[in-house]
Amino acid sequence: MTAAVELVDFDDVVARFDPVMGIEVHVELSTTTKMFCGCPTGFGAEPNTQVCPVCLGLPGALPVVNRAAVESAIRIGLALNCEIAPWGRFARKNYFYPDMPKNFQTSQYDEPIATDGFLDLTLDDGEVVRIGIERAHMEEDTGKSLHVGGADGRIHGADHSLLDYNRAGVPLIEIVTKMIPDTGARAPEVARAYVTALRDLMKSLGVSDVRMDQGSMRADVNLSLSPRGSGLLGTRTETKNVNSLRSVERAVRHEMSRQAAVLDAGGEIVQETRHFDEQTGHTRAGRRKETSEDYRYFPEPDLVPIAPSSEWIEQLRGTLPELPWERRRRIQAEWGVSDEEIRDLVNAGALDLVEATVAAGAPSQEARSWWVSYLAQQANAREIEPADLPITPEQVARVIELVSAGELTNKLARQVVDGVLAGEGSPDEVVAARGLKVVSDEGELVAAVDAALAEQPDVVEKIRGGKVQAAGAIVGAVMKATRGQADAKRVRELVIERCAPVSG
Amino acid sequence: MSELIRLTAAELAEKIHSREVSAVEAAQAHLDRIAAVDGRVHAFLHIGSEAALASAERVDAALARGAAPASPLAGVPLALKDVFTTSDMPTTCGSKILEGWQPPYDATVTERLRAAGVTVLGKTNMDEFAMGSSTEHSAYGVTRNPWDTTRVPGGSGGGSAAALAAYEAPLAIGTDTGGSIRQPAAFTGTVGVKPTYGGVSRYGLVACASSLDQAGPCARTVLDAALLHEVIAGHDPRDSTSIDRPVPDVVAAARSGARGDLSGLRVGVVRELGGEGYQPGVRAAYEASLRLLEKLGAEMVEVSCPHFEYGLAAYYLILPSEVSSNLARFDAMRYGLRAAEGRSAEEVMANTREQGFGAEAKRRIMLGTYALSSGYYDAYYGQAQKVRTLISRDFAKAFEQADVLVSPTTPTVPFPIGDKVDDPLAMYLNDLATIPTNLAGVTGMSVPSGLADGLPVGLQVMAPALGEAVMYRVGAAFEAARDADEGGPLIARVPEVSA
Ligand SMILES: [Zn+2]
């Protein structure tokens, strides 16, 4: 056991050490069937209801490769600027584990489908970092163990374990970065930005639902520290199955501080797997890797090699959608917004919403303003994502349209939006039900102005005496009388008009 | 003894389809025979009387309605090696670890037999997980050779071969990983065929070594084997290594071969399998076989396959490597035996495997684990794969010079039970001549070629991948000529088994 150590202050860590990272991300593909059989892959089904002889590894059962999974893998590889292997085999990774039906995992070992690519990240300050992609390979997921009777579901102290094989055989893509050096103090941010970019990419490719909370995307972070400028490679740890973007960032930060503390205390970093604890933000030791595990890889004899033709690869390249970074660049140009503005939109999770609002006819300026200010506040207050607000981009566009047509003031527009959010119907229905239309009937307005003027003769005198700014009091009274539904600008004009010195 | 059990499958099928004999009578005759002699032979691990009779009844009912037979073998009884999954009978692979396991699904071979209306009598004994050359490595006791019940029937498919020789079934299915169909065929005076790799689906065949395993027909005549071959062969989308090409017309080939003319055909005599180190009786029978082939008009050419001598070594690295991985699933988690003791999943797994696997299975698991382990992979598994490539090239070259190749099937006649069980290396030598075909994925058969000291000897005929037609033609021609010379089939001389 390593003794508990005081963490080293992060700034101090980066002043003296260079972090070196490597990130492995597992992405569950959202194919309708599993990697090697026809079982459905849906999440949340009753345990062991989505299984067959093949994914249970029953004696005699044989795998058959899911073509849709291979297509997804190739498309991911192409989007990551990788080379696609013209020929490759699956391999067996042999190890015993109760939730692994065959006690080997069918994977790609030395013959991955995609190799040597890159992904460019734009950090918050606009700096672009290129992350090298070592490889992306296909494999099958394992089942899940549920330990009953112990503390917090861990195997230690449990009195029995249950096994659910629904997830066994679900297709996975493992994407492995090359070593990421020289990120310094930005290491946590780079790690998070990388996983975020991958998530957005998978989403735009439509190959996975990338729900980190459900485990359909999970990251393993390898990290080591090297004394600043020494060029020496430190011993690395692997923090496994980090399952939120924020945790990725925190795990890197914590592991840097922890490793620095161990080194400062004259200790040695143990090569091991670690687990990230959401509660404390710390990592704790898992399995030790004193000797490297011997997986006894060998080519899977039950499957024929995969040999995608160049025609097939090109055809799949043709199916790639506009990739997230291309889209951002295009939108930025179309809307004429700054790097910072587009980044804020992305960070607020509002880019899709704004784009949809613009597509529904709203000017981009107004659309952005609504989503990043008033609606963002509303989402924040409800502790949900803007996308989960009960208002559609089309409805927001309609509100904007009503404002620009002069039928709503900004203040009224917010009330309309509140009505939509409260489930009172479409913007037009809310306007009608709440009677929120701007009073545009000239006769009505004149009557209201005259009534207000009659009540405040002293103000009328002041205006007539040239103190035009005194008109505000009358305007306020008119707005109050019309419950805010009058166009204040027009009211002001009318007040001044009615108070003009009688000529002639 | 009912005369029905003496008929060949083709003859029996004819009588059933012409409704001279009912399928139920045929099934019952064989079930009676099993009841009478299997206590001594022990060819069967499970008998499925009820299911067999029900299946036979369905065939009879269809024929009574005037329907055409579902296949040329509809209503004919068959013995199935206990390595194929069956949804109505246990599947144990001769292992304690699967004792009583009832699979929830049928193997493709099982399905095809059912669809063809073949009557599956039961499951036959075998060396545990198809590893062995004598059927002494079954957890459920040895199978005896009907020719001499103190001797082994060969392995691993000794049960299937013995069932044929004891007239318990006219047809059987085996699997051949390094000779497990052909070697027992030679030891029992029957015909056994290892089809081209991928020719018959492996789906539902409990794997021994995936890259070598091949299911195939066992019968008492070449024609019967061909008829069964057609029933079980053909592409299966559930097995990605299964060949998506038409099945060679082996029945027509067997029929034309039986007319006995091999002129224009080149028969390659493999120099390296020429009888050096073979028992004198085996060598003599082989030499007589070569003369017979020549008499049939074949052009005899000597071919050399210099890498065959490394075949045995390569095989005993590749096979255990795949075995160590394939047998890993027997871990007590989902089916089969579970050891009662153990405080963790790992301990339960380890104890179960300790109790459930026999000595030969353990030996091979350990060999394979070692051969694949890091640092040894290149020296062992990698090297063996290179040998495998060289053996394939030897075959390719030889098949440029000859249409088929021949050799003795085994170096010895059936050996006494217990003789080699403590000497695995001596046991392994038995598969010397059969192993190269598995390594190269080509096809091979064993046809009875004579008797040595009153015990059967086989001739091996080998052909290129998907070259089954020419192989069956040669096998049938040889069989016909030999029967003519001998005044009848050799199998007729098997002594009556006393219970
Ligand atoms: Zn399945």
Side-chain angles (χ1 to χ4, degrees):
Chain A
M1 289 300 284
T2 37
V5 281
E6 288 289 314
L7 297 178
V8 174
D9 175 73
F10 188 76
D11 293 336
D12 187 19
V13 178
V14 296
R16 295 186 292 117
F17 294 98
D18 292 321
V20 178
M21 288 193 297
I23 304 175
E24 295 167 20
V25 174
H26 282 91
V27 178
E28 260 185 17
L29 297 180
S30 51
T31 48
T32 52
T33 57
K34 292 187 181 179
M35 187 74 217
F36 299 117
C37 67
C39 288
T41 53
F43 179 81
E46 284 290 302
N48 297 311
T49 54
Q50 299 184 158
V51 293
C52 73
V54 175
C55 56
L56 282 177
L58 292 190
L62 294 175
V64 176
V65 174
N66 181 343
R67 186 184 168 93
V70 177
E71 288 186 346
S72 291
I74 293 175
R75 293 173 74 237
I76 290 168
L78 292 171
L80 290 171
N81 308 291
C82 288
E83 298 285 326
I84 304 301
W87 192 89
R89 284 174 300 188
F90 280 94
R92 289 187 185 179
K93 180 180 183 181
N94 294 282
Y95 63 101
F96 282 87
Y97 204 72
D99 64 17
M100 245 197 355
K102 303 179 294 266
N103 288 316
F104 62 76
Q105 185 182 22
T106 306
S107 174
Q108 289 185 304
Y109 170 53
D110 51 356
E111 295 166 292
I113 185 100
T115 51
D116 197 22
F118 62 87
L119 179 61
D120 285 336
L121 312 177
T122 308
L123 301 183
D124 277 358
D125 65 355
E127 188 191 334
V128 174
V129 178
R130 174 162 290 191
I131 304 293
I133 303 293
E134 176 85 35
R135 57 192 278 160
H137 70 253
M138 294 177 275
E139 60 186 35
E140 56 178 338
D141 214 338
T142 60
K144 263 194 234 173
S145 306
L146 179 68
H147 307 295
V148 185
D152 64 17
R154 295 216 217 135
I155 191 162
H156 189 76
D159 58 31
H160 66 281
S161 299
L162 299 171
L163 295 164
D164 175 8
Y165 293 101
N166 280 354
R167 204 182 66 185
V170 167
L172 283 183
I173 299 290
E174 183 176 341
I175 300 161
V176 182
T177 64
K178 294 178 181 169
M179 206 168 67
I180 309 170
D182 304 329
T183 49
R186 318 203 70 168
E189 186 193 350
V190 167
R192 180 191 176 125
Y194 169 70
V195 179
T196 308
L198 262 192
R199 186 196 61 175
D200 293 349
L201 176 61
M202 298 302 141
K203 230 190 254 179
S204 78
L205 290 171
V207 293
S208 171
D209 60 6
V210 281
R211 292 286 301 261
M212 293 190 82
D213 56 332
Q214 293 180 357
S216 65
M217 177 167 171
R218 33 195 205 265
D220 299 344
V221 181
N222 292 307
L223 191 117
S224 66
L225 291 183
S226 140
R228 190 114 236 217
S230 72
L232 295 170
L233 270 186
T235 305
R236 66 187 166 82
T237 61
E238 184 177 11
T239 305
K240 301 284 274 185
N241 292 333
V242 185
N243 64 357
S244 80
L245 296 173
R246 188 163 160 261
S247 297
V248 169
E249 188 167 358
R250 290 168 81 207
V252 170
R253 179 175 280 269
H254 175 264
E255 197 51 21
M256 285 170 68
S257 293
R258 188 193 67 86
Q259 287 190 15
V262 172
L263 295 171
D264 281 358
E268 277 186 13
I269 304 300
V270 181
Q271 191 177 330
E272 64 189 356
T273 58
R274 299 187 67 86
H275 302 288
F276 181 71
D277 187 325
E278 298 276 348
Q279 244 77 57
T280 60
H282 289 194
T283 66
R284 59 181 159 76
R287 199 155 33 94
R288 269 208 186 190
K289 281 191 175 173
E290 273 153 351
T291 52
S292 75
E293 192 118 9
D294 189 352
Y295 291 119
R296 294 175 285 117
Y297 285 102
F298 76 107
E300 166 61 89
D302 285 331
L303 290 170
V304 288
I306 295 177
S309 66
S310 47
E311 293 76 34
W312 191 30
I313 295 170
E314 286 320 305
Q315 185 200 325
L316 289 171
R317 197 190 298 277
T319 69
L320 292 186
E322 183 182 34
L323 299 175
W325 46 91
E326 294 168 353
R327 172 173 173 231
R328 237 164 281 166
R329 238 174 285 134
R330 171 181 58 78
I331 287 176
Q332 214 180 323
E334 277 174 18
W335 299 352
V337 293
S338 69
D339 289 353
E340 204 173 10
E341 285 167 318
I342 195 97
R343 198 191 61 229
D344 287 348
L345 276 175
V346 172
N347 289 347
L351 188 61
D352 288 348
L353 296 165
V354 173
E355 203 184 15
T357 308
V358 171
S364 68
Q365 171 94 41
E366 279 81 352
R368 273 188 298 130
S369 155
W370 273 100
W371 283 108
V372 297
S373 57
Y374 191 68
L375 288 166
Q377 286 162 26
Q378 299 304 309
N380 219 12
R382 290 167 165 80
E383 296 185 342
I384 57 175
E385 292 298 313
D388 296 329
L389 284 170
I391 187 167
T392 65
E394 290 72 25
Q395 290 170 332
V396 175
R398 175 63 183 154
V399 172
I400 292 169
E401 188 186 355
L402 290 171
V403 172
S404 68
E407 292 182 36
L408 289 179
T409 61
N410 278 328
K411 195 174 158 205
L412 285 174
R414 281 197 283 275
Q415 291 179 40
V416 172
V417 167
D418 289 343
V420 175
L421 293 176
E424 293 167 24
S426 70
D428 290 291
E429 286 163 351
V430 175
V431 166
R434 292 197 180 185
L436 291 178
K437 242 185 160 123
V438 167
V439 178
S440 51
D441 183 307
E442 192 81 357
E444 217 175 299
L445 274 186
V446 169
V449 167
D450 286 347
L453 291 172
E455 269 176 31
Q456 301 187 62
D458 50 329
V459 178
V460 175
E461 278 316 305
K462 279 184 190 163
I463 297 170
R464 285 199 170 138
K467 287 191 175 173
V468 181
Q469 63 270 34
I474 306 292
V475 175
V478 173
M479 292 308 286
K480 199 175 169 190
T482 59
R483 298 198 326 274
Q485 282 165 255
D487 178 349
K489 204 168 138 225
R490 180 66 191 139
V491 172
R492 189 180 186 82
E493 283 167 11
L494 283 172
V495 171
I496 292 167
E497 203 182 300
R498 309 296 285 176
C499 292
V502 186
S503 59
Chain B
M1 191 195 311
S2 160
E3 275 312 301
L4 287 181
I5 64 169
R6 288 272 168 186
L7 299 174
T8 68
E11 290 162 352
L12 185 56
E14 207 183 297
K15 287 191 193 296
I16 293 169
H17 300 168
S18 66
R19 305 190 60 208
E20 185 184 333
V21 167
S22 76
V24 169
E25 280 173 276
Q28 194 58 58
H30 286 92
L31 290 168
D32 291 348
R33 173 68 177 176
I34 292 167
V37 304
D38 207 54
R40 181 66 187 152
V41 178
H42 193 36
F44 285 87
L45 292 178
H46 317 284
I47 317 285
S49 311
E50 272 182 45
L53 291 170
S55 160
E57 264 169 38
R58 283 193 295 276
V59 170
D60 287 335
L63 293 170
R65 282 200 311 272
S71 80
L73 292 176
V76 178
L78 171 139
L80 185 58
K81 190 176 182 180
D82 200 28
V83 73
F84 294 91
T85 57
T86 42
S87 57
D88 58 356
M89 268 186 277
T91 297
T92 67
C93 301
S95 180
K96 263 226 153 48
I97 213 161
L98 275 180
E99 186 160 9
W101 181 56
Q102 172 63 65
Y105 76 111
D106 275 333
T108 298
V109 164
T110 311
E111 273 182 3
R112 289 190 178 176
L113 292 170
R114 293 193 203 286
V118 169
T119 306
V120 179
L121 297 170
K123 309 290 287 290
T124 56
N125 199 12
M126 56 186 283
D127 282 308
E128 184 175 10
F129 289 109
M131 293 186 275
S133 305
S134 66
T135 315
E136 292 167 286
H137 295 296
S138 164
Y140 304 102
V142 302
T143 296
R144 295 172 181 276
N145 192 327
W147 288 84
D148 175 350
T149 52
T150 68
R151 289 176 186 264
V152 303
S156 65
S160 288
L164 297 174
Y167 291 97
E168 293 172 292
L171 296 172
I173 301 281
T175 59
D176 191 313
T177 305
S180 292
I181 287 176
R182 290 161 290 160
Q183 185 252 17
F187 275 12
T188 56
T190 59
V191 177
V193 175
K194 183 205 96 72
T196 302
Y197 182 75
V200 177
S201 171
R202 287 188 296 117
Y203 188 79
L205 189 182
V206 181
C208 176
S210 308
S211 74
L212 301 161
D213 291 347
Q214 184 54 56
C218 309
R220 288 193 290 260
T221 70
V222 173
L223 176 62
D224 284 0
L227 288 165
L228 185 53
H229 192 123
E230 283 203 336
V231 165
I232 59 172
H235 180 244
D236 178 7
R238 290 181 297 190
D239 173 359
S240 35
T241 62
S242 118
I243 299 173
D244 194 3
R245 298 259 300 272
V247 179
D249 193 348
V250 291
V251 173
R255 290 192 198 282
S256 88
R259 290 194 283 274
D261 179 16
L262 291 182
S263 49
L265 200 97
R266 298 167 304 164
V267 171
V269 180
V270 183
R271 189 192 300 155
E272 288 76 8
L273 301 176
E276 195 84 8
Y278 289 44
Q279 280 181 351
V282 173
R283 213 162 49 214
Y286 179 52
E287 279 156 12
S289 302
L290 297 182
R291 286 194 296 275
L292 193 57
L293 288 166
E294 205 164 9
K295 214 172 89 186
L296 288 168
E299 179 196 338
M300 307 301 282
V301 289
E302 195 187 45
V303 298
S304 175
C305 297
H307 300 96
F308 279 18
E309 66 169 300
Y310 307 111
L312 195 69
Y315 177 82
Y316 278 102
L317 287 168
I318 292 167
L319 175 130
S321 296
E322 294 187 15
V323 161
S324 70
S325 175
N326 282 334
L327 297 194
R329 72 189 63 199
F330 300 99
D331 64 356
M333 289 299 125
R334 291 161 301 278
Y335 43 79
L337 184 75
R338 176 177 291 175
E341 64 283 4
R343 284 163 308 160
S344 65
E346 288 74 13
E347 273 183 32
V348 171
M349 280 186 198
N351 290 338
T352 302
R353 291 166 69 79
E354 162 60 27
Q355 291 169 26
F357 286 131
E360 186 63 23
K362 283 177 189 160
R363 183 152 44 232
R364 297 196 190 187
I365 288 169
M366 289 174 63
L367 274 171
T369 303
Y370 184 77
L372 287 177
S373 55
S374 69
Y376 298 102
Y377 180 92
D378 289 335
Y380 296 121
Y381 185 85
Q383 205 62 19
Q385 290 291 13
K386 284 181 193 152
V387 169
R388 193 172 186 171
T389 306
L390 294 173
I391 287 173
S392 292
R393 284 188 201 152
D394 279 359
F395 268 117
K397 258 201 191 141
F399 286 127
E400 281 171 13
Q401 298 162 262
D403 300 297
V404 295
L405 307 180
V406 292
S407 79
T409 308
T410 59
T412 68
V413 294
F415 45 89
I417 289 168
D419 210 33
K420 296 185 181 180
V421 77
D422 294 325
D423 188 354
L425 292 181
M427 186 84 92
Y428 296 169
L429 283 172
N430 238 279
D431 299 330
L432 195 70
T434 48
I435 278 171
T437 42
N438 298 81
L439 288 172
V442 300
T443 182
M445 72 161 39
S446 179
V447 197
S449 61
L451 299 180
D453 307 324
L455 293 166
V457 175
L459 173 73
Q460 178 174 228
V461 184
M462 296 168 276
L466 292 177
E468 273 89 348
V470 65
M471 183 178 80
Y472 272 96
R473 185 181 150 212
V474 172
F478 177 79
E479 178 186 58
R482 186 214 57 211
D483 287 359
D485 274 8
E486 302 276 345
L490 286 169
I491 192 72
R493 295 195 221 160
V494 67
E496 178 52 23
V497 180
S498 50

